[in-house]
Amino acid sequence: MAFWAGGSPSIVDYFPSEDFYRCGYCKNESGSRSNGMWAHSMTVQDYQDLIDRGWRRSGKYVYKPVMNQTCCPQYTIRCRPLQFQPSKSHKKVLKKMLKFLAKGEVPKGSCEDEPMDSTMDDAVAGDFALINKLDIQCDLKTLSDDVKESLESEGKNSKKEEPHELLQAQDSVGEKLGSGEPSHSVKVHTVPKPGKGADLSKPPCRKAKEIRKERKRLKRMQQNPAGEIEGFQAQGHPPSLFPPKAKSNQPKSLEDLIFESLPENASHKLEFTRFLCSSPLEAETPPNGPDCGYGSFHQQYWLDGKIIAVGVIDILPNCVSSVYLYYDPDYSFLSLGVYSALREIAFTRQLHEKTSQLSYYYMGFYIHSCPKMKYKGQYRPSDLLCPETYVWVPIEQCLPSLENSKYCRFNQDPEAVDEDRSTEPDRLQVFHKRAIMPYGVYKKQQKDPSEEAAVLQYASLVGQKCSERMLLFRN
C-alpha cells in the first residue's frame, strides 16, 4: 500500500478506445484513435511521467493516441532551451514586435512566420466527442473525503503515521479564463494605427546616457522585486537574464532580443501577467524551486491595457509544458504564436537558474505529415519521444524515418524495451467503494472479463511507477 506523505494522490477514470473518430488534422472521418482518462486530480510528478510516455492533457481530460493505428501519429516533442538559439525567422518575429511597440509599424503583406492560429491541438475536438459520451458522476469533493477516510482508516489499522490531509477541490482556485478546453478568441475592436519612424531593423547606437539609465532601472528592479504582475516593456524582465551590454563579435541571446530597450516615447506598451489557474494539476511549492511553484498557470498578454493573447502552461518538475494559446486575430501580424513560444523558452531558462532539473520546454505533439504541427521541429535542438521504448531521440535522427513512414520506432536498438513497462499489475492501486486496494485484491471481487482487460491496458499505458502511485477509480 502506497502512502502519499507529500500530498494528495492522483485519481483518474480510464476509458479505453472503442472505435475511430474524425481526425482534426487530416480531416479523415474515421482515422483517429486514442485512449483517455478523466483526471479528478493529478500531481505534477505523475503528469510529468505521463507526458514522458506520450500522454497530453486538455483541461481535465488526459489522452494518448494509439500510435500504430491512428491516421496521424502524434509524437511528443521537447525543446532543449539551454542550447536553443533563435533562427533567422525567430529573430524576424522579435524584431517585428519591437518595431510595432517602438513606432507602431505594422508589417505589410501576409504573415509568413505564423504557421497556425493556435498551439491548441485540433485533434482534441475528436476526443471531446468521447468525453460527451461519458457519464462522469464522481464529485471531486466526495472523492476527496472518501480517499481521506480510506487512508486514515488504513493508517490506523497498520499503526503507521497518519498521512497528510488529502484532496482539496481544485475548483476553489479562481479560474478567470477557463481550463484547457478549446476556447474562442478574445475580440479586441481597436485596430492598431500604423506609425512612421526610423528603420529599426538596424541596431540603434548605444550612448553612455542610455547605458546609465538602463543600470538605474536594473538597480530599482533589484530593490523592488516584481510580484505576480511582470511588465516587460524592455525593463520588466528578470535582471539575471538581461546582461548590461552584449559582447562584441557574439550573436545576441534570446533574452537580448526579447528585452531590447525601447524608447521612452514608444507607441505601445506590452505587459504580461501570470497567475495560477484551475486544472487537475495540484499546485505545489518545491523547496528552493521556482518562485511561482509547480502547477498550471494562465499567461496573459496586454497591449496598452487590452488583452490580446492568453496561454496556459504547466510548470512541472523537469519542464515547462505548453498547453495551449489563443489570441485576437486582429493582431495576427505580430506572430503571437511564435512570439509566445520564444518567451516561454526564455522563461524555462529563467526557471532552470532556480531549479536545475527543470531544463526542457515541451511543445505538445509533432506530426510530420501536418504543416500546422510540423513547424515545431524548427525550434532546435529538440527531441522526439520513441513510441515504443519511451526514450528521447534527436529530431534530426527521426526525420529520415518519418519521410518513409508515418509511424516509426525511433530507438535504433532492436533489443531495447520500455524500462517502465508494467511488470507487476497486481501492485496497481485501485479506488473502489471508498477503499484503496491493490489490483490483486480488487480483481478477486470481479467477474467481468472485460474489466481485467481494461485495467491491464491502463497499466501498460501509464507504466509501473504511475500505476502504483495513481488511484484508478472503479465503480
Side-chain angles (χ1 to χ4, degrees), residues 1-4 7-14 36-51 53 55 60 62-64 147 151 167 280-281 420 425-432 435-439 455 457-474:
M1 171 63 191
F3 278 81
W4 296 268
S8 308
S10 301
I11 305 177
V12 298
D13 266 333
Y14 175 67
M37 297 188 294
W38 188 262
H40 297 280
S41 65
M42 183 165 287
T43 67
V44 291
Q45 185 60 60
D46 285 341
Y47 186 55
Q48 175 73 71
D49 291 342
L50 286 176
I51 62 174
R53 294 184 65 82
W55 292 82
K60 294 187 177 183
V62 188
Y63 61 100
K64 185 181 189 303
V147 172
L151 287 176
L167 288 171
L281 296 182
D420 190 38
D426 284 355
R427 294 173 61 88
L428 179 149
Q429 296 298 307
V430 175
F431 186 53
H432 177 61
I436 300 172
M437 64 189 74
Y439 176 65
V455 173
Q457 184 185 67
Y458 158 83
S460 67
L461 294 176
V462 304
Q464 186 68 36
K465 289 186 298 185
C466 282
S467 71
E468 293 187 31
R469 289 198 306 256
M470 301 194 304
L471 301 182
L472 176 62
F473 182 84
R474 309 307 287 175

Side-chain angles (χ1 to χ4, degrees), residues 95-328:
K95 290 179 180 179
K96 180 170 56 179
M97 176 65 79
L98 286 173
K99 285 183 180 181
F100 174 72
L101 296 177
K103 297 297 182 180
E105 293 186 14
V106 178
K108 297 180 180 180
S110 61
C111 177
E112 299 178 354
D113 298 295
E114 189 73 350
M116 58 187 297
D117 289 338
S118 171
T119 55
M120 174 57 132
D121 297 342
D122 290 343
V124 176
D127 286 319
F128 285 121
L130 171 62
I131 297 175
N132 292 334
K133 297 179 182 179
L134 303 178
D135 183 15
I136 303 174
Q137 300 177 345
C138 309
D139 180 74
L140 180 59
K141 181 63 176 177
T142 303
L143 285 176
S144 304
D145 296 338
D146 290 348
V147 172
K148 181 179 179 181
E149 181 180 338
S150 176
L151 287 176
E152 288 177 349
S153 174
E154 181 135 359
K156 292 177 181 178
N157 293 337
S158 59
K159 296 184 180 180
K160 293 185 178 181
E161 293 183 2
E162 183 175 351
H164 287 257
E165 182 180 357
L166 294 177
L167 288 171
Q168 297 179 352
Q170 292 296 317
D171 293 338
S172 62
V173 181
E175 183 180 10
K176 198 170 184 180
L177 295 173
S179 61
E181 285 77 5
S183 305
H184 298 289
S185 297
V186 177
K187 195 64 180 175
V188 179
H189 298 287
T190 303
V191 179
K193 297 180 180 180
K196 297 180 181 180
D199 184 3
L200 293 183
S201 62
K202 299 179 181 179
C205 297
R206 292 177 59 85
K207 297 181 180 180
K209 182 178 180 180
E210 179 184 352
I211 295 175
R212 288 196 297 271
K213 287 184 177 180
E214 185 176 290
R215 289 174 178 171
K216 289 181 180 179
R217 285 197 297 267
L218 292 176
K219 185 176 181 180
R220 286 197 298 268
M221 287 176 59
Q222 292 173 353
Q223 295 174 351
N224 184 24
E228 290 185 350
I229 299 181
E230 301 176 7
F232 57 91
Q233 186 186 3
Q235 70 270 24
H237 56 279
S240 61
L241 295 179
F242 193 3
K245 186 175 180 180
K247 295 182 179 180
S248 58
N249 301 325
Q250 289 187 358
K252 288 186 177 181
S253 68
L254 176 62
E255 290 75 23
D256 291 333
L257 294 168
I258 292 177
F259 303 115
E260 188 169 334
S261 298
L262 293 175
E264 294 183 359
N265 61 342
S267 298
H268 299 286
K269 181 179 181 181
L270 187 63
E271 294 179 311
F272 176 80
T273 62
R274 179 185 300 115
F275 57 90
L276 191 69
C277 66
S278 177
S279 84
L281 296 182
E282 297 193 352
E284 297 181 19
T285 304
N288 302 320
D291 292 340
C292 52
Y294 296 148
S296 183
F297 293 83
H298 268 132
Q299 303 195 119
Q300 297 179 343
Y301 296 79
W302 296 80
L303 181 66
D304 301 330
K306 297 179 180 179
I307 191 168
I308 63 171
V310 177
V312 167
I313 60 170
D314 292 335
I315 302 180
L316 305 175
N318 299 334
C319 72
V320 169
S321 175
S322 177
V323 181
Y324 71 84
L325 169 88
Y326 61 88
Y327 57 79
D328 182 352

